[in-house]
Amino acid sequence: MRRTLSTALVTGGAGFIGSHTCVELLEHGFEVIVADDYSNSSPEVFTRTQKVAGRFLGAVYRIDLRDRRALSAVFERHPVDVVVHFAAKKEIGESVRNPVTYYDVNVGGTLALLSAMEEHGVRRLVFSSSCSIYGEAERMPLTEADPARPTNPYAASKWTCEQILADVCRRSEDWSVLSLRYFNPAGAHPSGLLGEAPRGAPGNVMPYMAQVAAGRLEQLEVFGGDYATSDGTGIRDYIHVMDVAEAHRLALEHLADRTGLRVFNLGLGSGTSVLELVAAFRRASGRPIPYRIVPRRPGDVTALVADPTAVARAWGWRATRDVAAMCRDAWRFTRLNPAGYAVGR
Ligand code: WQD
């Protein structure tokens, strides 16, 4: 009899992908416990998460995962069946400037979490990995068999965590781990209540562009116009955050299928250049998006596009929402929340 996973600890549950995943899990009957340090979001997210889902979170803990005592206390208080681990720093440009912080938070936090899981007999984990581990790959689209060649500390921290998880699963047969390599999550919840609202100036292109459209930032700097692409700008595989959230719920439903480490790419399977994204956002917002081409950002690669076949075969699931929907939903969230989650900011 498959044991249903009912209580999920979501680390980073106040973040962009974490909050949308919490809504999806609540809507599907999971008990959801959140641990977040609020370093890149605010507690206002939890009010909105519960409003959108129409259900309460089981508990929210403001903790830094590296605080092993605080983390252990969470496992002592709740019958956690599975952990969904989002908590990490995730901006590539920032990771080049602050590598030690990225390894400390992303790898150190994961190690602390794995220790607490070991200590409390929790052996099921969905890990938030990233397409950036593939680095500057020759051919697209990328499958999970393509080699990891990280070109920046963020990507290297994610690849390091995957290698740690592989070692843990090799050593003990009772661990079941799914590592989901997101391509570029974008968009927002269609209600307009949840979206991407990082603290400070956004490092990622979609929230930055949304702020330009809203007149809160002057213009978009396009990092590099000399890549070997159709229009010289970087190509990425943008995937709607609602699709990413759905995939996490499916991951929990499939974790109990077998033990060991499995890895899946999460992408739409098509590439969009920065200038194509600007055009799509102009159409969605009806706003001009002034931009200027500047030199490449250190750590960036030319293109990253997913081959999403593996997850389609395993779960019978594909991402369905296109770039136009991502721009439309991201614009709605920004228009309704010009100051992000700082209510009244
Ligand atoms: C996208 C494109 C930039 C900002 C992200 C996440 C990472 C991972 C992968 C989940 C690139 C260009 C950007 C700007 C620009 N996702 N750009 N001007 O670097 O692909 O990584 O997706 O794990 O966590 O950070 O995303 O949005 O920063 O860049 O021209 O102001 O937009 O050069 O071509 P990236 P991004």
Side-chain angles (χ1 to χ4, degrees):
M1 172 68 177
R2 177 190 297 186
R3 179 181 173 205
T4 55
L5 301 177
S6 56
T7 302
L9 169 61
V10 179
T11 74
F16 174 42
I17 305 170
S19 55
H20 288 77
T21 300
C22 285
V23 168
E24 177 76 10
L25 298 185
L26 287 170
E27 288 176 337
H28 285 79
F30 285 87
E31 170 81 354
V32 178
I33 312 296
V34 174
D36 196 297
D37 67 0
Y38 302 170
S39 61
N40 197 26
S41 193
S42 88
E44 166 64 18
V45 173
F46 300 125
T47 308
R48 300 196 183 193
T49 296
Q50 294 171 132
K51 182 174 180 181
V52 169
R55 277 189 64 212
F56 288 112
L57 291 160
V60 173
Y61 294 91
R62 180 174 192 170
I63 60 170
D64 181 323
L65 293 188
R66 294 165 293 176
D67 178 345
R68 296 188 181 219
R69 184 190 304 274
L71 183 56
S72 199
V74 175
F75 283 94
E76 280 153 15
R77 286 197 201 112
H78 302 278
V80 176
D81 293 305
V82 57
V83 178
V84 187
H85 179 32
F86 292 108
K89 297 183 76 62
K90 65 126 184 168
E91 290 190 10
I92 286 171
E94 184 187 50
S95 79
V96 173
R97 298 188 296 274
N98 304 306
V100 172
T101 304
Y102 267 69
Y103 285 109
D104 191 9
V105 171
N106 294 2
V107 180
T110 300
L111 288 171
L113 176 65
L114 293 173
S115 301
M117 289 175 71
E118 282 272 4
E119 183 190 340
H120 295 85
V122 180
R123 300 282 190 277
R124 290 199 172 96
L125 173 69
V126 177
F127 176 66
S128 163
S129 189
S130 168
C131 63
S132 53
I133 67 169
Y134 293 113
E136 189 70 75
E138 278 80 42
R139 62 179 181 76
M140 295 295 145
L142 290 158
T143 72
E144 292 81 356
D146 279 296
R149 294 197 189 104
T151 62
N152 56 70
Y154 164 74
S157 73
K158 288 296 184 178
W159 175 234
T160 301
C161 290
E162 280 203 17
Q163 291 173 288
I164 292 166
L165 292 170
D167 286 340
V168 166
C169 290
R170 263 191 289 272
R171 187 213 57 203
S172 336
E173 304 238 316
D174 55 348
W175 279 76
S176 180
V177 178
L178 277 168
S179 181
L180 304 180
R181 293 175 179 168
Y182 317 148
F183 279 66
N184 284 56
H189 192 276
S191 66
L193 285 173
L194 287 173
E196 191 168 12
R199 286 185 179 280
N204 294 127
V205 68
M206 187 68 101
Y208 198 101
M209 204 162 39
Q211 296 278 344
V212 170
R216 287 175 66 87
L217 290 171
E218 193 184 325
Q219 68 174 351
L220 174 70
E221 291 189 331
V222 175
F223 297 146
D226 58 350
Y227 285 104
T229 62
S230 55
D231 60 19
T233 63
I235 289 177
R236 295 292 184 276
D237 180 334
Y238 296 92
I239 177 172
H240 201 295
V241 65
M242 296 296 286
D243 281 325
V244 176
E246 240 172 56
H248 281 78
R249 191 250 307 159
L250 282 167
L252 295 190
E253 290 170 1
H254 287 271
L255 256 182
D257 290 355
R258 44 176 265 216
T259 58
L261 171 63
R262 283 165 287 168
V263 177
F264 289 118
N265 285 342
L266 286 191
L268 202 49
S270 60
T272 303
S273 76
V274 179
L275 292 185
E276 286 167 341
L277 197 67
V278 169
F281 210 94
R282 278 178 175 155
R283 285 192 294 275
S285 65
R287 299 289 176 87
I289 312 277
Y291 69 83
R292 68 190 175 103
I293 307 271
V294 298
R296 297 182 180 189
R297 176 173 63 180
D300 272 359
V301 297
T302 305
L304 286 163
V305 179
D307 175 340
T309 313
V311 73
R313 276 206 200 100
W315 300 347
W317 175 88
R318 276 184 178 272
T320 55
R321 299 162 175 93
D322 62 10
V323 167
M326 292 175 223
C327 292
R328 189 170 55 240
D329 293 338
W331 175 237
R332 181 186 304 109
F333 173 75
T334 304
R335 193 164 35 81
L336 296 175
N337 306 275
Y341 290 118
V343 179
R345 186 194 283 179

